[in-house]
Amino acid sequence: MKLSSQNLDARLDTLYDAIVVGGGMGGLSAAIYLARYGLKCLVVEKGKGRSLWMQDLRNYVGLDPDTPGRDILNHGAKQAIAWGADYLRGFVEDVTDEGDSFSVKVKVGKNNSIYPVFRGKYLIAASGVIDVLPELENMQNVYDYAGYTLHVCMICDGFDMWDQKAVLIVKTESQINAAFVLNWFTPYISVLTHGACEVGAETREKLAAHGYPLYEQKIRRFLGENHQLQGVELEDGAVVEATTGLINMGSIYHNQYLKHIPDLDWDGENLIANSMCQTSHPRIFALGDLKQGLNQVSVAVADGTLAATQIWRNIRRAGAPRKWEENLSQH
């Protein structure tokens, strides 16, 4: 059922088998499998996740290359609801471990917000990350190109930058190292720091040895039309010619609701999980970008399948087997 502030009261007394925090590719995959296993699950989706900004999905088997992420998310949410999952747009503010279940506090609505609390036996953390973009006075100028010809994932979109003039936009010196991986796809790389960091002599020498120009002025605006990048204008008026680019400025992890739970093991901002996506807390699972591993849609979808299956196994093994009672009565 699709929940909202108008009807969520009907679920406040429900003990879900699993609550899925995040309705991206991984979270929806988990919800679909949980529902088809006959388990009660709730998906809480904050909106505007990383997958929503994918203008096309060029490396996922079986989908047309120009399939936008938002279409997959909408279809996946409808599919999960059709199989019996509950789905709510809201922001998870807090998770409390109550021993045999979790209480999950959700903020619903931007204005006149309400804060319902749902309960679940298991928790699936699939809330993902959001990529840091260069901050300009006119952010719409960034959005006009991000996800089109200005990319955030080299693994996803390196092929689409092949032998093009590319800008690599960073905010720390260490992020410049991406240039020496990006050069597998194109050697025509200009590095832009957007005035965010100091670049040491060793890095400068390495860039010069590869023929990669370094620009340390702030970015004024991106140039082009119809989402096709043509160049980058810097604060001093200089224009860096480019038809594509990679933003490598880091990510913001949506994992704050888990930080106070003591039994979780972390590797930086990533949760450590086993082969079934189970964390060091036996009733918390982590999917996709929140756990260690490759940040790819295909991985997140597989993670959702694994986590849901392990939860089903745990619940199935703890319950009594179903018997054909009519046949038993004949003996």
Side-chain angles (χ1 to χ4, degrees):
M1 182 167 74
K2 189 171 184 178
L3 301 182
S4 68
S5 57
Q6 281 71 43
N7 66 355
L8 59 78
D9 285 350
R11 291 293 195 261
L12 294 181
D13 293 330
T14 299
L15 177 60
Y16 287 99
D17 292 302
I19 294 178
V20 183
V21 184
M25 305 298 189
L28 290 174
S29 171
I32 289 168
Y33 273 83
L34 288 165
R36 285 177 56 82
Y37 282 133
L39 300 177
K40 298 190 295 292
C41 73
L42 167 67
V43 178
V44 182
E45 163 59 9
K46 68 183 182 309
K48 295 185 179 180
R50 197 182 203 193
S51 300
L52 183 70
W53 295 99
M54 293 188 308
Q55 306 304 329
D56 45 37
L57 192 64
R58 301 189 179 191
N59 58 346
Y60 195 89
V61 62
L63 294 179
D64 291 335
D66 59 354
T67 304
R70 62 183 177 275
D71 286 1
I72 305 171
L73 294 174
N74 290 337
H75 186 274
K78 291 177 182 177
Q79 191 177 0
I81 293 168
W83 289 121
D86 287 341
Y87 182 96
L88 174 66
R89 291 296 295 267
F91 182 83
V92 171
E93 290 213 332
D94 186 58
V95 172
T96 302
D97 186 355
E98 298 181 336
D100 57 354
S101 64
F102 297 100
S103 63
V104 179
K105 179 182 177 183
V106 182
K107 177 182 178 181
V108 178
K110 291 183 178 179
N111 301 315
N112 301 317
S113 304
I114 59 174
Y115 296 86
V117 176
F118 300 91
R119 293 178 61 243
K121 299 175 186 176
Y122 288 86
L123 186 81
I124 298 180
S127 41
V129 304
I130 193 72
D131 298 285
V132 176
L133 300 177
E135 292 187 12
L136 305 187
E137 186 174 338
N138 176 18
M139 284 305 295
Q140 185 57 49
N141 176 246
V142 182
Y143 302 144
D144 285 344
Y145 300 96
Y148 294 95
T149 49
L150 198 55
H151 307 284
V152 295
C153 176
M154 193 190 316
I155 294 172
C156 305
D157 301 321
F159 177 85
D160 301 299
M161 295 185 272
W162 204 282
D163 281 348
Q164 294 189 55
K165 286 189 175 179
V167 288
L168 171 66
I169 304 172
V170 303
K171 72 172 187 177
T172 68
E173 183 176 9
S174 63
Q175 291 167 346
I176 293 175
N177 286 321
F180 309 110
V181 182
L182 182 61
N183 60 13
W184 172 267
F185 300 101
T186 179
Y188 312 118
I189 301 168
S190 297
V191 176
L192 281 60
T193 67
H194 191 39
C197 65
E198 296 289 334
V199 181
E202 185 177 346
T203 301
R204 292 176 183 275
E205 291 172 7
K206 190 173 181 181
L207 288 171
H210 285 74
Y212 305 157
L214 173 65
Y215 297 90
E216 298 175 88
Q217 286 278 333
K218 284 192 173 184
I219 297 168
R220 177 177 292 166
R221 61 177 177 145
F222 294 96
L223 306 174
E225 56 185 15
N226 298 323
H227 310 299
Q228 299 299 308
L229 187 68
Q230 296 175 357
V232 182
E233 182 181 341
L234 304 180
E235 202 171 50
D236 63 0
V239 173
V240 181
E241 184 182 352
T243 56
T244 189
L246 177 68
I247 300 173
N248 188 44
M249 302 180 74
S251 303
I252 298 170
Y253 286 74
H254 295 297
N255 57 15
Q256 299 84 356
Y257 58 93
L258 296 170
K259 286 297 183 73
H260 64 283
I261 296 178
D263 298 330
L264 291 172
D265 291 337
W266 299 83
D267 177 15
E269 292 294 312
N270 292 112
L271 284 159
I272 298 173
N274 66 15
S275 61
M276 296 300 287
C277 301
Q278 189 173 29
T279 69
S280 52
H281 189 301
R283 291 182 293 107
I284 297 179
F285 290 73
L287 311 184
D289 298 345
L290 280 195
K291 71 172 185 53
Q292 293 173 314
L294 203 60
N295 294 8
Q296 291 289 287
V297 167
S298 53
V299 174
V301 170
D303 286 347
T305 305
L306 292 168
T309 299
Q310 187 60 55
I311 290 171
W312 167 66
R313 287 174 178 172
N314 293 348
I315 293 174
R316 174 176 60 82
R317 291 165 181 168
R322 300 175 69 188
K323 299 179 181 179
W324 194 342
E325 299 294 342
E326 291 82 358
N327 284 347
L328 293 176
S329 63
Q330 298 175 10
H331 297 282

